[in-house]
């Protein structure tokens, strides 16, 4: 037996709005045609056109935009990304819906429910750290044995690898400073140098006068490393000869802009368009499957973490040209380190 198809009120409402819009456009066209055919003054059609444009603006900002904001919050709730947000909607569908959600909040005893959920998440996070901590401690043991044996290169590489693992499994907070991220990148690059030797080079650029403030800006943990890894694997590794990764950091009054560039093989227009289309989708449009996560944190995952934390206006965009290289441009809000409420610098 086929499941019964649901007729949502939102779908019906948008159909009605669409039909009214279509009727308004046709009516406006008829008015213009009549006045043109009768060679009358176009003052009245122009007035009707201005009223139509004003109606469209009111319809978008007064109805459509608030509807999509409410729908996005409900999507985040249904996808288990947020709980509190659904109890504080800016644009409830109706007073009855607002009362129903408020009653649901009381029924769940919201504060205790959220507290229990947070504690459970922290417990699972700590539980998941057991194996990485074991690996970290094992690497420290290997490093000690290598030093005793006089194998300094092995000891240095093991120390770099253990430091990298320690960074990935420590600090349960979402945000870290740019300085921490760049230190992790330098450590990651140190490990890659053992593989690529002199073929690989890293340059970090930012204005000296802005450097102290920029280094204190916050961003999601492990944002840069997947982008740099992508530049090395898909750009420079496929290239004959030396390659360079350049990280350029810039700041505006409200935004932090980070460009990760490589002079690798680049991408063709088809591949570039497909990647940017995936990155340009909504923050809930892409959920990585297990086969997509085997190589680490994919670029769409980095992009979606940023969008979920800060909004759809932020994220990652890729520019590339074959045989020239690739630029990955990150746009983030300029957040002050230590600001729990997301205050800007």
């Amino acid at each position: 037996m086929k499941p019964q198809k649901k007729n949502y009120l939102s779908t019906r409402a948008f159909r009605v709005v669409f039909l009214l819009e279509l009727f308004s456009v046709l009516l406006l066209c008829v008015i213009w045609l009549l006045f043109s055919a009768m060679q009358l003054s176009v003052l009245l059609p122009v007035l009707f056109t201005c009223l139509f444009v004003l109606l469209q603006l009111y319809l978008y900002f007064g109805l459509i935009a608030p509807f999509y904001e409410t729908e996005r919050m409900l999507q985040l709730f249904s996808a288990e990304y947020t709980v509190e947000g659904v109890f504080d909607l800016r644009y409830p569908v109706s007073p009855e819906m607002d009362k129903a959600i408020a009653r649901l909040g009381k029924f769940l005893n919201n504060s205790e429910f959220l507290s229990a959920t947070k504690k459970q998440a922290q417990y699972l996070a700590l539980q998941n750290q057991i194996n990485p901590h074991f690996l970290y401690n094992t690497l420290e043991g290997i490093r000690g044995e290598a030093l005793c044996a006089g194998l300094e290169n092995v000891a240095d590489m093991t120390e770099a690898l253990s430091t990298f693992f320690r960074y990935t499994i420590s600090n349960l907070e979402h945000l870290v400073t740019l300085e921490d991220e760049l230190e992790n990148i330098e450590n990651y690059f140190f490990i890659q140098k053992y593989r690529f030797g002199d073929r690989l080079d890293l340059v970090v650029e930012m204005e000296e006068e802005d450097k102290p403030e920029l280094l204190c800006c916050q961003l999601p943990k492990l944002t840069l490393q997947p982008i740099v890894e992508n530049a090395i694997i898909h750009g420079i590794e496929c290239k004959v000869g030396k390659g360079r990764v350049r990280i350029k950091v810039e700041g505006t009054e409200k935004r932090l802009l980070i460009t990760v560039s490589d002079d690798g093989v680049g991408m063709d227009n088809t591949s570039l368009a497909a990647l940017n289309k995936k990155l340009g989708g909504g923050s809930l449009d892409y959920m990585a499957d297990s086969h997509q996560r085997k190589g680490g944190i994919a670029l769409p995952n980095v992009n979606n973490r940023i969008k979920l934390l800060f909004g759809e206006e932020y994220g990652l965009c890729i520019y590339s040209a074959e045989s020239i290289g690739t630029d990955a441009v990150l746009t983030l809000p300029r957040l002050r380190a230590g600001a729990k409420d997301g205050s800007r610098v």
Side-chain angles (χ1 to χ4, degrees), residues 129-342:
Q129 287 186 50
I130 293 175
N131 287 338
H133 272 299
F134 174 75
L135 179 58
Y136 165 66
N137 292 332
T138 303
L139 289 171
E140 286 292 292
I142 295 173
R143 176 176 174 270
E145 292 293 327
L147 285 173
C148 292
L151 303 173
E152 293 186 3
N153 286 341
V154 176
D156 291 341
M157 188 174 181
T158 306
E159 181 182 15
L161 187 58
S162 64
T163 303
F164 179 79
F165 273 111
R166 180 168 56 188
Y167 181 78
T168 60
I169 64 178
S170 64
N171 185 8
L172 296 178
E173 296 295 327
H174 287 299
L175 304 179
V176 295
T177 64
L178 176 61
E179 185 175 15
D180 291 336
E181 275 289 282
L182 290 177
E183 285 180 1
N184 185 57
I185 289 299
E186 290 177 358
N187 188 59
Y188 172 77
F189 228 79
F190 181 79
I191 297 170
Q192 292 292 344
K193 290 280 284 185
Y194 277 94
R195 179 184 175 193
F196 290 93
D198 294 335
R199 280 189 59 202
L200 200 57
D201 192 20
L202 172 68
V203 176
V204 178
E205 298 177 359
M206 67 182 81
E207 295 292 336
E208 284 298 324
E209 58 268 24
D210 297 332
K211 190 173 182 179
E213 284 191 3
L214 292 176
L215 289 176
C216 291
C217 289
Q218 290 186 306
L219 68 165
K221 190 176 185 181
L222 293 175
T223 294
L224 297 182
Q225 187 270 331
I227 301 174
V228 172
E229 181 178 359
N230 189 77
I232 294 174
I233 294 175
H234 298 290
I236 295 174
E237 185 176 359
C238 304
K239 174 185 176 180
V240 177
K242 294 184 177 181
R244 169 174 290 187
V245 175
R246 182 175 68 107
I247 302 176
K248 185 177 182 180
V249 183
E250 301 170 286
T252 66
E253 184 179 351
K254 296 183 178 180
R255 299 197 173 193
L256 179 66
L257 304 174
I258 304 175
T259 304
V260 180
S261 306
D262 69 75
D263 56 359
V265 296
M267 283 186 284
D268 59 76
N269 291 333
T270 303
S271 301
L272 180 63
L275 178 56
N276 276 319
K277 182 179 179 182
K278 187 180 293 185
L279 295 175
S283 55
L284 297 177
D285 292 344
Y286 175 83
M287 295 296 174
D289 295 324
S290 58
H291 70 277
Q292 290 172 309
R293 290 197 292 264
K294 290 180 181 178
I297 304 174
L299 296 187
N301 282 345
V302 173
N303 183 57
N304 288 333
R305 280 195 299 145
I306 293 171
K307 289 181 180 295
L308 285 169
L309 283 173
F310 306 123
E312 296 291 338
E313 66 267 33
Y314 302 103
L316 179 65
C317 190
I318 308 297
Y319 304 90
S320 186
E322 280 190 284
S323 304
I324 295 177
T326 302
D327 292 345
V329 181
L330 271 170
T331 305
L332 297 156
R334 189 164 176 172
L335 300 178
R336 184 177 67 248
K340 299 296 184 181
D341 59 349

Side-chain angles (χ1 to χ4, degrees), residues 96-114:
E96 288 71 22
M97 178 183 175
D98 197 24
K99 292 176 183 177
I101 290 177
R103 182 172 175 79
L104 177 63
K106 291 179 181 179
F107 178 75
L108 293 175
N109 196 354
N110 194 27
S111 60
E112 293 182 9
F113 175 74
L114 292 176

Side-chain angles (χ1 to χ4, degrees), residues 1-5:
M1 183 177 178
K2 293 184 179 180
Q4 186 177 1
K5 187 176 180 180

